[in-house]
Amino acid sequence: YSVMAFDAATNTSVISDSVTVTTPEEPDTQAPSVPDGFTGSAVSDTQINLTWNTSTDNKSVAEYQVFRNNVQLAVINATSFGDSGLSASTSYTYTVKAVDGAGNVSAASSPVSVTTQKPPVLNGSISGTIVGLRNAPLSGAKVSILINGQLKSYIANSQGVYSIANLVPETYTVNYSADKGYKSQTLKIVVGNGQNVIKNIILSKKK
């Protein structure tokens, strides 16, 4: 544009400097395409990795919204995401949406459900002290335990202390016995994953 001034006698001014103006583009209202190729895999008992294909848009895709169980989890500008800090042996459902620079959001991808792996099996142990009358240590007291269908025996030391190591998580039948007329005891003891169970035993005299 340029402008000139003129008076009643039609005298005209020098033309002004020109100004160039561009009208704005029409608002971008087109959402990106729905992310496809969405997959997930459990890589451990606490992490699930997600990947998907790049969405398309009439302008450009700016970011992706990741949802876990219908709750927004993250906003990223990549086509992969690692969700960590999860619970073992648990199923999670994910979706992802694409967002362009104008803030237009695509529909959600097809949901993907993934179950985290089982926790690693860690061995545990059972240990403690075996005492008798007046809490005196029972040196040589015997501890018998059924492991994988086989009966194994352990002997308490001079302080009455015993220890059974490298036990996989399960419930064990354990028998405690001693000479000198003491009654034996049989207990069911649960050893959890990586748990060290302390079981102190008092054996009473036979009548």
Side-chain angles (χ1 to χ4, degrees):
Y1 296 90
S2 59
V3 64
M4 293 175 60
F6 62 94
D7 60 17
T10 69
N11 298 305
T12 59
S13 70
V14 177
I15 193 167
S16 69
D17 293 334
S18 62
V19 173
T20 301
V21 181
T22 302
T23 55
E25 294 182 357
E26 291 185 5
D28 179 10
T29 58
Q30 182 175 329
S33 63
V34 176
D36 62 7
F38 188 35
T39 61
S41 62
V43 295
S44 72
D45 59 323
T46 60
Q47 180 164 334
I48 291 172
N49 287 348
L50 306 169
T51 61
W52 56 93
N53 296 330
T54 302
S55 291
T56 58
D57 186 65
N58 62 320
K59 299 295 183 181
S60 64
V61 176
E63 60 194 21
Y64 295 90
Q65 299 172 345
V66 182
F67 295 80
R68 182 214 296 151
N69 297 338
N70 296 319
V71 177
Q72 186 169 303
L73 178 63
V75 177
I76 59 174
N77 58 4
T79 56
S80 63
F81 179 75
D83 187 14
S84 59
L86 304 174
S87 299
S89 303
T90 304
S91 178
Y92 297 90
T93 300
Y94 298 90
T95 55
V96 63
K97 298 178 181 180
V99 185
D100 66 15
N104 299 305
V105 183
S106 74
S109 67
S110 298
V112 169
S113 294
V114 185
T115 300
T116 49
Q117 297 176 9
K118 294 180 180 180
V121 176
L122 302 175
N123 288 346
S125 66
I126 303 172
S127 61
T129 303
I130 306 172
V131 300
L133 227 52
R134 300 181 182 86
N135 289 325
L138 289 177
S139 173
K142 186 165 112 175
V143 183
S144 301
I145 182 171
L146 199 61
I147 301 175
N148 294 328
Q150 294 185 339
L151 190 63
K152 296 188 177 183
S153 296
Y154 298 82
I155 303 300
N157 65 16
S158 60
Q159 304 301 314
V161 175
Y162 73 97
S163 180
I164 309 169
N166 297 320
L167 298 175
V168 299
E170 65 175 73
T171 301
Y172 293 90
T173 300
V174 186
N175 178 265
Y176 299 87
S177 61
D179 295 332
K180 306 174 185 176
Y182 283 96
K183 294 179 182 179
S184 65
Q185 282 188 37
T186 300
L187 303 175
K188 296 282 189 183
I189 300 177
V190 178
V191 176
N193 196 32
Q195 182 182 17
N196 298 312
V197 179
I198 304 298
K199 186 64 68 174
N200 297 319
I201 301 297
I202 301 175
L203 295 180
S204 58
K205 281 282 193 176
K206 294 179 181 178
K207 293 183 179 179

